[in-house]
Amino acid sequence: MSQWMALEESDLMRVSDLKGLPVVVGPEGSATEYAARVVLKALQVPEEGYTINGGIGSGADLVLSGRAKAVHALSGIPAPGLEKLATAKKSILLRYDAAEIQKILAAEPQYFATVIPKGSYPGQDEDIPSFGVKCLLCVRADMDEALVYQLTEQLYAALPELSKKRPGFANVTDKAFYLEELPLPLHDGALRYYRDQGLTEEK
């Protein structure tokens, strides 16, 4: 999920409030940096002279020291670097509005709308709308169908327990997550499992 965190004392509320401010966009060449730059372009937030490359943890340190105003993560939740920041000092997740998310999704179809559930970080008492990218388990197309069926069965059975431990898994039991708008076709073994469970009528 796309997550921008700033100190509460900064009085920032929205990602668009970052105009003219130094921000940590993620490690150079990473998916986190790419998503951050997509966002900044879509929201017309200047990049040149304001963006800093760095890891989420080191970015959190820059925010704590005042050398940056926000740090971005495209990751599962909670992101350890952001959790570190929110634990060290009162922090907030910056918001997108619905129109901004739709603009980002229109520019990058591989992303999907999602929500950072309340309680993901210390002091976060509201759900925060955002976007993310699906994390997929990819296998060879010629992998044994029975084996893929078993893998899918075990992963699906583990989701309730995973969602208790990691908030980012909370929505993955929604069949739209694993059946719709996928960047790769479903393996026949996975499709057979979903069909056997009555989760899809797809043939």
Side-chain angles (χ1 to χ4, degrees), residues 4 21-38 40 46-63 67-73:
W4 293 87
L21 299 175
V23 296
V24 183
V25 293
E28 187 172 1
S30 66
T32 288
E33 180 197 30
Y34 183 84
R37 296 196 185 279
V38 166
L40 297 178
E47 297 181 43
E48 190 171 352
Y50 297 106
T51 59
I52 302 166
N53 283 112
I56 301 168
S58 60
D61 290 337
L62 290 174
V63 173
R67 288 175 286 172
K69 290 298 183 182
V71 56
H72 179 252

Side-chain angles (χ1 to χ4, degrees), residues 83-125:
E83 193 169 39
K84 166 187 169 183
L85 177 56
T87 301
K89 202 164 185 179
K90 285 186 178 181
S91 301
I92 62 165
L93 290 170
L94 303 183
R95 293 178 171 273
Y96 300 103
D97 66 28
E100 289 169 344
I101 290 175
Q102 288 308 310
K103 189 172 183 180
I104 293 163
L105 298 185
E108 298 288 337
Q110 76 269 22
Y111 297 145
F112 69 102
T114 188
V115 169
I116 304 168
K118 65 181 179 181
S120 296
Y121 295 99
Q124 182 202 345
D125 56 7

